[in-house]
Amino acid sequence: MKRGAVIFGGLGLVFVALAFLVVQKETVLAKGQPVLLRLAPVDPRSLIQGDYMVLDYAINQGWREGRDQPQEDGNVVVRLDEHNVGEFVRYEPPASTLAPGEVRVRFRIRNSQMRLGAEAFFFQEGHAERYANARYGELRVMDNGTSVLVGLRDENYQPLGSAIR
């Protein structure tokens, strides 16, 4: 009897944790501010793992611009232009205040690389051509920097893949 209670209790905790994560991401999608981040050259798709695009954001390429890469997780501050495209301003020091038009985006350091969370964009098999012209990743970002990738956009800031062409 005790063994069954432990198993069901453990399963219940797993389901509660999963529900919390789903609610958290849905909140970001519903209330997050749209931010476009310029994509660095991307791998168009992986044949081994199916149809998806490996994403790399230009903001991650700070070493090309002579910036030191951070050594631990934190936030990067971007300034939005009239199209909501974020341009690097600074790595955020603790307890800093944002200026008007600035947004913080949370990052993590993994394998000595800055990761913004969404490093792959999956799409339906056979639809790779719809995403070949991707120039921006569209994220929804909360005030604390939590973000979710919601889509890709072309050089004219138009969403990709939402309509059959």
Side-chain angles (χ1 to χ4, degrees):
M1 185 71 168
K2 289 182 183 181
R3 185 180 203 177
V6 170
I7 290 171
F8 286 118
L11 284 173
L13 286 175
V14 168
F15 285 125
V16 167
L18 288 174
F20 175 77
L21 291 173
V22 168
V23 168
Q24 184 181 34
K25 295 297 181 186
E26 288 295 328
T27 301
V28 174
L29 289 173
K31 298 181 179 181
Q33 178 176 3
V35 174
L36 302 180
L37 293 179
R38 191 174 327 279
L39 295 173
V42 294
D43 177 10
R45 62 190 222 159
S46 170
L47 298 176
I48 295 173
Q49 294 179 312
D51 284 347
Y52 83 101
M53 183 180 297
V54 175
L55 301 179
D56 190 15
Y57 301 97
I59 201 167
N60 292 351
Q61 305 299 316
W63 55 271
R64 289 184 183 164
E65 299 169 4
R67 288 195 310 264
D68 289 332
Q69 293 285 31
Q71 300 303 309
E72 56 188 43
D73 298 354
N75 293 317
V76 63
V77 175
V78 297
R79 179 172 290 114
L80 302 182
D81 69 9
E82 67 274 7
H83 300 288
N84 285 335
V85 176
E87 293 293 332
F88 177 85
V89 175
R90 66 186 176 279
Y91 296 113
E92 184 178 43
S96 70
T97 303
L98 297 178
E102 291 183 345
V103 176
R104 71 177 49 92
V105 180
R106 181 98 178 120
F107 67 83
R108 291 174 175 31
I109 301 298
R110 298 294 180 263
N111 298 323
S112 301
Q113 302 235 349
M114 190 169 93
R115 302 285 184 200
L116 296 174
E119 306 299 331
F121 183 78
F122 290 85
F123 48 83
Q124 186 175 348
E125 185 175 341
H127 290 115
E129 69 281 352
R130 291 185 185 182
Y131 303 100
N133 294 323
R135 297 297 175 263
Y136 299 94
E138 179 182 0
L139 290 83
R140 298 288 173 171
V141 182
M142 297 296 284
D143 290 340
N144 67 359
T146 303
S147 66
V148 173
L149 177 69
V150 296
L152 300 177
R153 296 205 177 205
D154 66 15
E155 66 276 357
N156 296 316
Y157 314 106
Q158 298 302 308
L160 296 173
S162 58
I164 298 174
R165 296 181 185 179

